[in-house]
Amino acid sequence: MISERMIAMTKSSSAIRAMFEEGMRLAAIHGSENVFDFSLGNPNFPAPAALNRAIAQVLEDTDPTVVHGYMPNAGFPAVRTAVAENLNARFGTAFTAENILMTVGAAGGLNVILNVLLNPGDEVVVIAPYFLEYGNYIRNFGGVLRVVQAEEGTFQIDPAAVAAACNEKTKAVIVNNPNNPTGVIYPAETIRALAEALEARQQELGTSIYLLSDEPYRELAYDGADVPYIPCFYRNTIVGYSWSKSMSLPGERIGYLVIPSEIDDYGLIWDAACTSNRILGFVNAPSLLQLAVARCLNEKTDISAYDRNRQALYNGLTALGFECVYPRGAFYLWMKTPGDEKAFIEAAKRHCLLLVPGSSFAMPGYARLAYCVSPDRIARSMPAFAQLAREFGLGK
Ligand code: PLP
């Protein structure tokens, strides 16, 4: 018999797998061009040409025993220095290589840091709706999730509620900005208020509460929106970043953690994070990708195609009468389901529309649509959405 912990985790991740299988089933019946799959956050746009060139150049001009060899568990020192300097230029920080730990994507980074921070029974605060994998990452290390609801309607953070959810056992709060699944961006005033509330709560409790800033969507912010850099607001911040979304590289598994020198127990945390990276089975982030992304740090993410998709989907769906949150970042649209969530998701499937139920983000009554798809797919899906809207009595 396998571990009970894994039985529970496998069950909780079955919804996304079921959606994937449903997509394949529908494609076999109707043809893949007639299935409108809005379920996966898998960028449909190619990685920048500069990144592909950088991979080729690294292979051409770097000693193969270096490119394909082991390195310090935190990553190549020169890559970490380049990342630190890039962040310093953008955010006015003073990071060095000793603050940057290269990771196997954002997921790898979160697991590394949660492994470092959590004793069994320690708590981590998450804000619902949230990326459901957080639950598994936290339970991996015997941690306990404490869920705080986002503000109704706006899906912004309620700083007082987050602080109130913290107790002696709270090790961390996870904030994801821009947000998956809502597409909301938390502005500087919200982050400032959260920082003040957490600072006060730390003082009251006499503990350290680390804010884990999960930022795989940092570069995907529309209309010139600012995504505040949380280490500039709250001292005990650890940042998790990945190039999965900004450079369309989710399969390559490359990202980093920023562990600022100013955080409580920096030395202990840094050393333990390097060990954690090794013993969780990653050993180090992929070497070729480390060297390639370091050459592309000034590459600007072209978000114009996502932006057009965002407008097309939001305008199309709201015109049909669907209630949606105006997305300001990431590539997700958050929609209120008219009527029962399950019935709506099932009805959508009958029209070959694959949406992720809000309950997959711990908030039933909503659906998430990933618009990192081809523009043509959005345009061609509109008649199906129109039929769905009529079925649920929306519109005129
Ligand atoms: N955090 C959030 C909010 C995400 O949406 C995702 C991926 O979809 C991740 C973390 C994991 O990112 P990565 O693929 O870089 O591990």
Side-chain angles (χ1 to χ4, degrees), residues 6 19 144 161 167-168 177 184 258 329 333 336:
M6 280 312 297
M19 190 64 74
V144 176
N167 59 44
E168 300 73 18
N177 196 25
V184 159
V258 182
L333 183 119
K336 205 168 169 50

Side-chain angles (χ1 to χ4, degrees), residues 1-9:
M1 192 54 184
I2 69 165
S3 102
E4 282 164 25
R5 189 174 52 86
M6 280 312 297
I7 291 175
M9 282 190 186

Side-chain angles (χ1 to χ4, degrees), residues 322 337-348 350-351 386-395:
F322 290 107
T337 57
D340 176 67
E341 174 196 273
K342 271 206 178 79
F344 181 73
I345 298 289
E346 286 306 312
R350 288 197 291 277
H351 293 284
Q387 284 175 8
L388 187 63
R390 273 196 297 278
E391 214 172 297
F392 282 80
L394 301 178

Side-chain angles (χ1 to χ4, degrees), residues 18-242:
M19 190 64 74
F20 187 68
E21 280 161 12
E22 183 64 11
M24 300 215 301
R25 191 185 69 81
L26 289 174
I29 301 171
H30 304 281
S32 63
E33 69 287 1
N34 298 315
V35 178
F36 307 109
D37 188 347
F38 293 98
S39 66
L40 277 184
N42 194 11
N44 188 48
F45 297 99
L51 190 271
N52 292 330
R53 275 199 303 274
I55 291 177
Q57 280 161 4
V58 169
L59 288 174
E60 229 162 72
D61 66 21
T62 316
D63 177 348
T65 62
V66 172
V67 181
H68 302 305
Y70 284 124
M71 85 267 327
N73 299 132
F76 290 110
V79 170
R80 288 154 47 211
T81 300
V83 170
E85 285 173 357
N86 177 267
L87 293 172
N88 296 343
R90 289 160 68 196
F91 303 116
T93 45
F95 301 133
T96 70
E98 297 307 294
N99 303 116
I100 310 295
L101 189 142
M102 303 305 293
T103 62
V104 178
L110 283 169
N111 275 278
V112 162
I113 199 64
L114 290 166
N115 186 29
V116 168
L117 295 177
L118 299 179
N119 282 313
D122 282 346
E123 296 189 4
V124 178
V125 175
V126 298
I127 297 150
Y130 63 90
F131 179 55
L132 212 64
E133 295 289 52
Y134 290 158
N136 288 335
Y137 302 166
I138 293 163
R139 286 186 286 269
N140 273 343
F141 309 105
V144 176
L145 235 81
R146 189 165 281 268
V147 181
V148 172
Q149 298 299 310
E151 281 177 1
E152 216 186 313
T154 65
F155 296 95
Q156 286 290 326
I157 297 174
D158 176 349
V162 172
C166 295
N167 59 44
E168 300 73 18
K169 284 186 165 294
T170 307
K171 283 288 178 65
V173 173
I174 301 181
V175 167
N176 170 222
N177 196 25
N179 189 262
N180 173 13
T182 62
V184 159
I185 290 180
Y186 309 129
E189 62 264 29
T190 304
I191 297 300
R192 193 168 296 115
L194 178 67
E196 282 168 13
L198 285 181
E199 199 61 65
R201 194 71 182 124
Q202 284 188 138
Q203 301 277 323
E204 262 168 41
L205 295 167
T207 58
S208 303
I209 303 172
Y210 295 95
L211 200 159
L212 307 184
S213 181
D214 180 28
E215 313 194 335
Y217 303 98
R218 161 162 289 283
E219 268 63 63
L220 309 186
Y222 308 103
D223 307 324
D226 173 52
V227 182
Y229 200 61
I230 306 187
C232 302
F233 292 78
Y234 183 67
R235 188 174 52 79
N236 274 335
T237 298
I238 294 168
V239 180
Y241 181 82
S242 98

